[in-house]
């Protein structure tokens, strides 16, 4: 195990990380996008993005795009490289506000978090479409880990914290249990060559209807490219 520092809330840090990784000339077979914050008070990343959208979504969007060449070079016909992005069941209630992705008009921690998780699902589906169109030996899937007992809940109301403390052993998954579907997506032979899936409890299931809107997927992708400062090569594809 080798550690390389990467702050997903900083575009500069992400670019530095990718540069360091490329310098090692290592293959890249699995990328798991799993960083995140939840229900934080209104605040911005160093780049001026609303924190949920900037860290949970844009950070992973940029990281994945900058590592795509390494993933494509590492995947083969019989062993595809795999991209696994961790979303949440909250994406089902999320709404994507293309005209206000930074939640400047009306900030709600719950709304901003749900939007960032919906964006991850839309991103994954669009990414898989582009990978297939390019004939790449890379698959992209999205995972719902379930309700897991971690420090992610530190910004919820104190009443919720008390209830969580009292009931976590009964209703919450352990971190190990929460990671199981991500691991399944990363290494299971059953997932070889399968992309564009939404996985929960190691099974393929249906995501929110809006996540399958291909026009919304395209528009989000184009806008995301502008926000992180990369070229939208996908604009030349259907």
């Amino acid at each position: 195990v080798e550690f390389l520092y990467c702050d997903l809330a900083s575009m500069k840090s992400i670019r530095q990380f990718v540069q360091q990784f490329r310098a090692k000339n290592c293959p890249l077979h699995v990328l798991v996008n799993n960083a995140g914050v939840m229900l934080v008070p209104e605040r911005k990343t160093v780049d001026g993005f609303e924190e949920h959208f900037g860290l949970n979504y844009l950070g992973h969007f940029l990281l994945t795009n900058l590592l795509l060449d390494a993933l494509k070079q590492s995947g083969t016909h019989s062993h595809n490289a795999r991209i696994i992005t961790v979303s949440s069941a909250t994406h089902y209630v999320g709404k994507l506000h293309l005209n206000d992705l930074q939640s400047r008009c009306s900030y709600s921690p719950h709304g901003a978090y749900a939007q960032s998780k919906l964006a991850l699902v839309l991103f994954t589906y669009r990414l898989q479409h582009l990978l297939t169109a390019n004939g790449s030996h890379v698959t992209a899937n999205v995972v719902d880990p379930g309700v897991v007992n971690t420090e992610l809940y530190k910004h919820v109301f104190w009443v919720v914290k008390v209830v969580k403390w009292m009931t976590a052993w009964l209703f919450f998954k352990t971190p190990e249990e929460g990671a199981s579907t991500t691991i399944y997506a990363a290494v299971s032979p059953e997932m070889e060559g399968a992309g564009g899936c939404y996985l929960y409890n190691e099974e393929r299931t249906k995501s929110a209807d809006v996540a399958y809107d291909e026009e919304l997927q395209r528009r989000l992708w184009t806008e995301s490219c502008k926000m992180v400062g990369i070229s939208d090569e996908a604009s030349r594809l259907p």
Side-chain angles (χ1 to χ4, degrees):
V1 176
E2 185 173 348
F3 174 81
L4 292 179
Y5 178 81
C6 182
D7 179 359
L8 268 292
S10 165
M11 302 294 118
K12 180 180 179 181
S13 178
I14 293 169
R15 292 180 182 278
Q16 289 176 338
F17 163 81
V18 171
Q19 189 175 29
Q20 291 174 339
F21 178 81
R22 284 176 175 168
K24 294 181 175 295
N25 292 316
C26 294
L28 179 57
H29 300 106
V30 178
L31 171 65
V32 177
N33 293 319
N34 188 46
V37 292
M38 184 176 77
L39 307 183
V40 297
E42 186 173 10
R43 60 193 188 197
K44 297 180 179 179
T45 66
V46 293
D47 301 292
F49 300 122
E50 186 277 315
E51 190 167 5
H52 289 101
F53 196 78
L55 195 162
N56 294 2
Y57 170 66
L58 284 178
H60 291 121
F61 179 86
L62 178 61
L63 178 68
T64 302
N65 273 279
L66 294 182
L67 291 174
L68 268 183
D69 284 344
L71 286 156
K72 290 176 180 178
Q73 292 166 10
S74 303
T76 65
H77 178 72
S78 57
H79 290 89
N80 281 220
R82 304 186 188 189
I83 301 168
I84 298 94
T85 298
V86 180
S87 182
S88 162
T90 57
H91 91 275
Y92 286 105
V93 298
K95 294 181 179 180
L96 196 78
H97 302 285
L98 277 172
N99 296 323
D100 187 27
L101 291 171
Q102 303 302 317
S103 302
R104 293 191 178 100
C105 293
S106 177
Y107 182 77
S108 159
H110 294 83
Y113 176 69
Q115 177 181 245
S116 72
K117 291 301 180 177
L118 174 59
L120 289 171
V121 182
L122 288 157
F123 155 67
T124 299
Y125 291 165
R126 181 60 179 167
L127 176 59
Q128 182 58 56
H129 174 82
L130 298 173
L131 291 168
T132 301
N134 281 312
S136 303
H137 297 307
V138 183
T139 58
N141 291 297
V142 61
V143 166
D144 173 4
V147 182
V148 187
N149 188 15
T150 68
E151 290 299 310
L152 195 62
Y153 297 86
K154 64 183 179 181
H155 293 289
V156 300
F157 293 121
W158 69 269
V159 175
V160 178
K161 289 182 180 179
V162 172
V163 173
K164 174 180 176 290
W165 177 76
M166 295 174 63
T167 63
W169 64 275
L170 182 61
F171 298 111
F172 285 57
K173 292 182 178 181
T174 65
E176 291 78 11
E177 292 169 339
S180 65
T181 302
T182 298
I183 295 171
Y184 172 81
V187 301
S188 172
E190 296 175 21
M191 293 302 296
E192 179 57 47
C197 301
Y198 185 85
L199 302 169
Y200 176 64
N201 284 344
E202 300 182 18
E203 293 184 356
R204 303 180 200 190
T205 187
K206 190 174 181 294
S207 62
D209 290 339
V210 68
Y212 298 103
D213 185 333
E214 294 183 359
E215 178 61 21
L216 188 60
Q217 295 169 13
R218 280 193 289 267
R219 291 176 65 191
L220 175 63
W221 185 281
T222 298
E223 188 61 28
S224 301
C225 288
K226 294 177 183 176
M227 295 173 83
V228 301
I230 60 175
S231 62
D232 183 10
E233 297 179 2
S235 62
R236 296 192 291 272
L237 295 170

